[in-house]
Amino acid sequence: MNNAPLAVFDSGLGGLSVVRHLRQILPGEDIVYFGDTARVPYGIKSRPTVAQFALETASFLLQFDPKLIVAACNTASALALDHLIRELPVPVIGVVEPGARAAVRLAAGKPVAVIGTEATISSSAYVKAIRALAPEQPVIGLACPLFVPLVEEGRGSDDPLVKLAAETYLAPLRAQGVHVVVLGCTHYPLLRDAVAACLGPGVQIVDSGRETSLAVQRHLTETAALSAAAPPGTIRCYVSDNPTRFQRVGSRFLNEPIEYVELVEAERYVNLPRRPSEVR
Ligand code: DGL
């Protein structure tokens, strides 16, 4: 048993869609979350910048002595997971591998599509993770950049702009006989119904956040590190900018009110002595 908290980081508030599943699957765990709201979005940035930001953001959480760090941000997981695992003194679990594993299982050899930010898709991290598990698996990567601002504006699956964006991005996938779609971005689970409506009832949807939460549960079980505390665990959130907006918009992602949010000034986390120049 280990009552230390789980640490979760993201480029902003989207990672709360992963915390939502962690809370359901592991209700006794305490969670500390850091959203880098001052520097969001990561999804249009280069690998060295994302690697540096992700390492600084994750490192801030070490002061809470977490038993595990979850890289909830798909972009950070896709571009910087190896770097984080190398640099951080606690286990790190990203969202790409669990999502890829579920996609391969459900696809049974039929085509898979992965949707995500520009950076996630151009990294090919999901394609590589899927092919590592099933070398012959057909996989299509597709960036849907408008989905993030649409969700943050509060637009849901019934919104006409969302329907238009979904149809514009996803219609080509219908023609390619896609069998499984991976929601490879923290924001996309909030548009799950629009994606499903666009692709039709035969297409299965993988929520990487949920798969990652199940992977965290497996890890904690196998290492005898589950919390012994009675549920519900606590959630403390830290942000690098605009806690009021985080609280308001983030509660939709978390699906519960956010009670504790603290603003973190730059000097408390932007202090990395090394620039990860080796990350290209
Ligand atoms: N959290 C990011 C992701 O899952 C989306 C927002 C961003 O671009 O930073 O890729």
Side-chain angles (χ1 to χ4, degrees), residues 10-11 40-43 73-75 117 120 148 185-187:
D10 180 56
S11 56
V40 71
Y42 286 7
C73 179
N74 282 259
T75 304
T117 65
T120 295
V148 167
C185 173
T186 49
H187 290 55

Side-chain angles (χ1 to χ4, degrees), residues 42-43 45-55 75-77 79-80 119:
Y42 286 7
K45 294 188 170 74
S46 69
R47 187 185 295 269
T49 298
V50 170
Q52 181 181 349
F53 287 3
L55 186 55
T75 304
S77 297
L79 274 65

Side-chain angles (χ1 to χ4, degrees), residues 2-8 19 22-33 61 64-70 216 220 225-238:
N2 183 343
N3 287 0
L6 295 174
V8 182
V19 176
L22 285 171
R23 299 274 288 166
Q24 279 166 5
I25 293 165
L26 293 161
E29 301 295 330
D30 289 340
I31 294 174
V32 279
Y33 180 97
L61 291 164
F64 304 106
D65 292 326
K67 57 189 169 192
L68 178 76
I69 294 180
V70 180
V216 171
L220 295 182
L226 288 161
S227 168
T234 59
I235 308 185
R236 278 171 296 159
C237 294
Y238 297 82

